[in-house]
């Protein structure tokens, strides 16, 4: 387990040796007073007991008790700080690991499971340091010291007292293994329930709209009932291990009593030794019982540590190196990509020159978002290469890639923080005036200035207090502020009404000037000025060119999409330098 803790924390269990030493000191301070108890009893059985000797022994015992309290406090603080430090390290390692695994891994793993691992599993694992080791060290040292002391005094009674211990350990280990299977199942079930609970909370609006909140809750309720049943079963089976251990260990007490009476009656035992064994044995079993109860929890700790290890050892996207000057061109060189078993892109090749706008067009599911995901390296290609400048994206570090790319997704995520902090995410020295200037250009300043604290207004979790359009404006402003040379826009204006969309398009076209932009747009009117339009169908490029070229191909998909759009809406066709109105059909 120590080795596993080193893997999970990424550290050498620093401070543990010191804690073991202090645990041993605590055990000594618990055990040594028994020596004075023995001396006092021995003195009592002499013909003329020396009371000042007894007082001295009592004085030393009191001093030892005080010292024990001080040391026990020190041990407790040390073990807890070791535990919490380990918890912090493990959570940091998990967080940094999640940044390095492919998106595919995160999509495959139940979010409830990740949540349970980050919170509950780490908390259980912390206890290995904060509770388990300290308990083990103190108990083991104390039991060893007491047994050695008693054996020196009378080995026969000592053996009688410990007679059940070996069998108790064997039975405990066997029953614990049975409990381990149940612990694993119970923890999995709790993780599954956490996922359902998260889903229930996040989808509550939808559930209410469809009057499904009650029905859906009954599914959650069933899971909660399952957990209750499994917990009871687990307690029943897992509880047998410590109970058997306690029963077998305490059998030693009865055996020792029999042996004690037998030896005493036979005149083979001095009265003070008999009293010593009676006093010590009444306390000898207490720490063992406490340890057995605690070891019953060990299954949970072990399972939790295993689950953390599963996440920490998940395969990572290999990291590349930092490239100082990266030409902001993008090139897809014969790229194919498969999600699990499903081929999504097939031999896709195209190039985006620096400072140009490329639009991706195609029916739903044709692979447009997948193309942007491969540039941002959420996944690695199945074959072929995606290059930025001359460098394949997998040869760049995640930081280098992130530094060169701004992303604007359809689903905007805003943190529960001020608008200013949301906009300046990742910026080291954000400039208030610059933020205001960009907001004025992209966000309709009146929307922000009307908020109670302007840019200092805190938006609700995931931007819950803002409309879809407002969130989208902020995400565009965030991308503009980042000022990365490459901008990926995935349906960036999707949640805006036509009037706002036009405004934002204007703002975008000024602000993305000089950047290499890849834009996914379902409304073709927004991309007529694109330098290049890549038309996709079923994961292959079927047409490529600018609007004028593509529109000329009367049998092409782009032309038919364009015409379908014209027929669907009253249309305003804007070509460079002219405005033509096309009435709705
Ligand atoms: N994580 C995933 N796992 C498995 N298949 C996926 C995953 N993400 C997308 N797909 C599938 O890959 C195909 C391409 O998806 P993609 O999102 O790239 O299409 P798109 O052209 O952007 O679609 P839309 O215009 O509807 O957003 C779709 O058939 C989709 O179902």
């Amino acid at each position: 387990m120590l080795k596993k803790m080193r893997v999970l924390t990424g550290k050498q269990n620093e401070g543990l040796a010191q804690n073991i030493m202090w645990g041993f000191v605590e055990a000594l301070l618990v055990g040594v007073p028994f020596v004075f108890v023995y001396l006092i009893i021995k003195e009592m059985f002499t013909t003329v007991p020396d009371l000042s000797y007894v007082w001295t022994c009592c004085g030393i015992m009191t001093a030892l008790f005080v010292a024990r309290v001080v040391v026990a406090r020190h041990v407790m603080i040390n073990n807890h700080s070791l535990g919490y430090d380990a918890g912090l390290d493990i959570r940091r390692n998990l967080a940094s690991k999640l940044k390095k695994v492919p998106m595919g891994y995160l999509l495959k793993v139940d979010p409830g499971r990740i949540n349970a691992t980050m919170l509950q599993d780490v908390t259980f694992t912390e206890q290995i340091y904060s509770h388990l080791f300290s308990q083990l060290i103190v108990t083991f040292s104390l039991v060893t010291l007491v047994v050695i002391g008693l054996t020196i005094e009378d080995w026969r009674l000592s053996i009688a007292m410990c007679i059940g211990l070996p069998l108790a350990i064997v039975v405990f280990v066997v029953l614990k293994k049975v409990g381990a299977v149940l612990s694993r199942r119970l923890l999995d079930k709790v993780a599954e329930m956490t996922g359902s609970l998260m889903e229930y909370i996040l989808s509550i609006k939808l559930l209410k709209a469809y009057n499904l909140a009650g029905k859906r809750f009954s599914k959650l309720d069933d899971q909660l009932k399952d957990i209750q049943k499994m917990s009871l079963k687990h307690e029943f089976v897992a509880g047998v291990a410590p109970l058997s251990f306690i029963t077998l260990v305490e059998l030693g007490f009865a055996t020792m009593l029999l042996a004690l009476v037998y030896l005493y009656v036979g005149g083979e035992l001095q009265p003070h030794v008999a009293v010593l064994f009676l006093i010590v044995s009444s306390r000898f079993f207490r720490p063992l019982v406490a340890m057995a109860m605690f070891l019953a929890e060990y299954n949970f700790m072990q399972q939790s540590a295993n689950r953390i290890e599963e996440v920490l050892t998940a395969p990572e996207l290999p990291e590349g190196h930092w490239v100082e000057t990266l030409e902001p061109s993008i090139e897809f060189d014969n790229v194919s990509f498969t999600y699990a078993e499903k081929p999504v892109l097939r031999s896709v090749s195209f190039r985006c020159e620096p400072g140009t706008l490329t639009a991706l067009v195609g029916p739903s599911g044709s692979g447009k978002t997948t193309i942007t995901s491969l540039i941002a390296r959420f996944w690695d290609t199945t074959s072929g290469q995606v290059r930025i400048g001359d460098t394949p994206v997998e040869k760049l570090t995640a930081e280098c890639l992130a530094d060169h790319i701004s992303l604007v997704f359809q689903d905007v995520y805003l943190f529960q923080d001020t608008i200013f902090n949301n906009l300046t995410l990742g910026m080291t020295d954000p400039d208030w005036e610059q933020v205001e200037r960009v907001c004025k250009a992209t966000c309709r300043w009146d929307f922000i200035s009307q908020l109670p604290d302007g840019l200092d207004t805190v938006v609700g979790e995931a931007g819950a207090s803002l409309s879809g359009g407002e969130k989208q404006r902020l995400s565009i402003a965030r991308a503009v502020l980042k000022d990365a040379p490459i901008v990926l826009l995935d349906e960036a204006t999707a949640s805006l009404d036509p009037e706002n969309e036009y405004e934002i398009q204007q703002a975008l076209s000024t602000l993305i000037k000089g950047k290499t932009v890849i834009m996914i747009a379902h409304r073709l009117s927004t991309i007529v000025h694109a330098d290049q339009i890549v038309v996709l169908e079923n994961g292959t490029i079927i047409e490529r060119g600018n609007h004028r070229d593509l529109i000329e191909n009367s049998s092409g998909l782009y032309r038919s999409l364009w015409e379908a759009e014209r027929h669907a809406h009253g249309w305003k066709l804007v070509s460079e330098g002219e405005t033509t109105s096309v009435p709705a059909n």
Side-chain angles (χ1 to χ4, degrees):
M1 187 44 93
L2 278 178
K3 198 171 152 207
K4 183 160 283 182
M5 288 305 281
R6 276 202 297 272
V7 173
L8 304 189
T9 57
K11 286 190 178 159
Q12 289 298 323
N13 297 321
E14 286 146 19
L16 187 64
Q18 214 189 23
N19 285 12
I20 292 175
M21 193 268 289
W22 279 109
F24 185 70
V25 173
E26 187 188 348
L28 266 181
L29 291 170
V30 176
V32 170
F34 286 113
V35 175
F36 291 92
V37 171
Y38 169 71
L39 294 176
I40 292 170
I41 298 166
K42 203 173 171 189
E43 189 62 24
M44 277 166 56
F45 282 96
T46 56
T47 29
V48 189
D50 179 353
L51 278 183
S52 67
Y53 176 72
V54 172
W55 277 116
T56 311
C57 287
C58 285
I60 297 173
M61 275 170 70
T62 311
L64 288 171
F65 287 143
V66 173
R68 190 226 154 159
V69 171
V70 175
V71 170
R73 187 175 174 276
H74 184 69
V75 168
M76 190 185 76
I77 291 173
N78 278 4
N79 284 320
H80 276 83
S81 55
L82 198 64
Y84 293 140
D85 284 354
L88 178 68
D89 288 332
I90 296 172
R91 286 201 175 95
R92 277 185 179 153
N93 290 345
L94 282 169
S96 112
K97 179 73 189 189
L98 292 180
K99 282 195 298 185
K100 294 178 189 161
V101 293
M103 284 295 283
Y105 173 83
L106 293 176
L107 292 175
K108 211 168 56 192
V109 180
D110 177 5
R113 177 76 183 265
I114 301 259
N115 195 22
T117 297
M118 289 289 265
L119 300 175
Q120 173 194 292
D121 288 339
V122 177
T123 304
F124 274 132
T125 313
E126 277 173 1
Q127 291 179 7
I128 292 175
Y129 280 141
S130 60
H131 292 78
L132 183 70
F133 281 145
S134 53
Q135 183 86 31
L136 276 177
I137 293 156
V138 175
T139 307
F140 183 75
S141 316
L142 182 62
V143 168
T144 312
L145 286 173
V146 169
V147 169
I148 291 173
L150 291 181
T151 307
I152 292 169
E153 201 50 44
D154 193 306
W155 61 270
R156 296 160 301 180
L157 288 182
S158 191
I159 289 178
M161 200 172 82
C162 298
I163 202 144
L165 200 57
L167 186 60
I169 293 173
V170 172
V171 170
F172 184 85
V173 169
V174 172
L175 288 174
K176 199 178 81 61
K177 286 208 167 122
V178 180
V181 179
L182 285 174
S183 309
R184 172 89 204 189
R185 279 197 213 138
L186 181 59
L187 285 175
D188 284 348
K189 197 81 195 164
V190 170
E192 200 183 297
M193 186 276 295
T194 313
S196 302
L197 188 64
M198 279 167 65
E199 190 187 51
Y200 182 78
I201 294 168
L202 292 173
S203 63
I204 194 77
K205 245 191 203 167
L206 185 72
L207 295 176
K208 279 189 173 183
Y210 283 85
N211 199 21
L212 286 173
K215 208 169 176 183
R216 201 75 189 173
F217 183 76
S218 70
K219 186 187 160 208
L220 187 63
D221 196 43
D222 287 344
Q223 284 180 320
L224 290 168
K225 280 187 207 142
D226 280 352
I227 289 176
Q228 183 212 25
K229 277 190 211 143
M230 283 180 82
S231 302
L232 274 175
K233 194 170 165 194
H234 176 266
E235 282 306 319
F236 181 74
V237 176
V240 175
L243 286 178
S244 317
F245 181 85
I246 292 163
T247 311
L248 286 169
V249 160
E250 290 198 336
L251 202 71
F253 185 62
T255 319
M256 190 222 61
L257 270 183
L258 277 175
L260 185 139
V261 173
Y262 177 79
L263 291 171
Y264 189 72
V265 172
E268 288 186 46
L269 196 65
Q270 303 243 358
H272 69 272
V273 177
V275 175
L276 172 75
F277 268 89
L278 283 174
I279 292 176
V280 174
S281 61
S282 67
R283 303 199 49 153
F284 174 72
F285 300 103
R286 260 193 239 167
L288 284 174
V289 167
M291 192 184 75
M293 297 305 282
F294 203 80
L295 275 176
E297 297 286 305
Y298 180 62
N299 275 337
F300 280 123
M301 298 174 198
Q302 219 170 14
Q303 300 300 341
S304 291
N306 289 345
R307 285 163 25 133
I308 295 171
E309 197 180 21
E310 274 169 29
V311 178
L312 288 179
T313 51
E316 295 179 6
L317 285 172
E319 276 270 325
H321 53 272
W322 180 276
V323 177
E324 206 53 62
T325 44
L326 203 57
E327 186 199 46
S329 64
I330 302 168
E331 182 149 15
F332 272 63
D333 186 359
N334 209 16
V335 170
S336 296
F337 180 70
T338 303
Y339 280 117
E341 300 291 290
K342 185 178 174 188
V344 174
L345 295 180
R346 298 175 185 82
S347 306
V348 168
S349 295
F350 67 95
R351 183 177 162 83
C352 312
E353 294 300 336
T356 60
L357 168 62
T358 299
L360 301 179
V361 172
S364 180
S366 55
K368 304 179 293 291
T369 303
T370 307
I371 285 186
T372 53
S373 301
L374 292 179
I375 301 170
R377 214 181 159 218
F378 294 153
W379 284 273
D380 274 343
T381 60
T382 310
S383 66
Q385 249 181 9
V386 179
R387 288 190 286 269
I388 293 185
D390 293 332
T391 316
V393 283
E394 65 273 12
K395 294 267 156 58
L396 299 169
T397 57
E399 288 75 21
C400 182
L401 197 59
D403 230 45
H404 283 81
I405 296 177
S406 282
L407 285 153
V408 182
F409 298 110
Q410 294 179 39
D411 305 321
V412 180
Y413 191 89
L414 295 175
F415 292 96
Q416 189 171 14
D417 203 340
T418 61
I419 292 185
F420 183 82
N421 287 343
N422 266 293
L423 291 178
T424 54
L425 215 61
M427 287 169 73
T428 39
D429 192 14
D431 173 8
W432 190 273
E433 280 175 15
Q434 188 198 2
V435 174
E436 258 190 37
R437 209 169 41 247
V438 169
C439 286
K440 279 175 185 160
T442 57
C443 283
R444 269 215 192 149
W445 183 243
D446 53 343
F447 134 63
I448 293 174
S449 61
Q450 277 164 18
L451 292 171
D453 297 311
L455 280 172
D456 268 334
T457 307
V458 174
V459 295
E461 198 172 341
S465 52
L466 299 176
S467 75
E470 287 163 348
K471 281 194 276 183
Q472 193 60 271
R473 287 161 203 273
L474 290 178
S475 87
I476 292 169
R478 178 156 72 186
V480 169
L481 274 164
K482 188 176 171 190
D483 198 25
I486 294 171
V487 181
L488 305 179
L489 304 169
D490 187 349
E491 291 290 316
T493 53
S495 22
L496 304 176
D497 53 63
E499 186 197 341
N500 287 330
E501 182 183 347
Y502 177 75
E503 269 180 34
I504 293 284
Q505 287 293 344
Q506 294 303 309
L508 271 177
S509 57
T510 328
L511 290 159
I512 61 181
K513 207 173 258 171
K515 307 255 190 285
T516 313
V517 182
I518 292 200
M519 180 176 184
I520 298 176
H522 284 148
R523 268 174 275 179
L524 303 185
S525 58
T526 60
I527 49 142
V528 288
H529 292 308
D531 299 288
Q532 169 180 228
I533 298 170
V534 174
V535 186
L536 290 150
E537 192 174 43
N538 287 330
T540 35
I541 297 180
I542 52 163
E543 284 177 279
R544 193 145 64 91
N546 63 28
H547 175 74
R548 279 178 191 280
D549 300 338
L550 296 177
I551 213 79
E552 273 165 21
N553 180 2
S554 58
S555 58
L557 175 64
Y558 185 82
R559 166 79 176 251
S560 61
L561 289 172
W562 175 253
E563 283 182 349
E565 192 169 296
R566 280 178 63 206
H567 283 85
H569 306 290
W571 195 241
K572 218 175 166 194
L573 175 64
V574 184
S575 64
E576 281 170 78
E578 58 174 345
T579 304
T580 313
S581 289
V582 178
N585 285 340

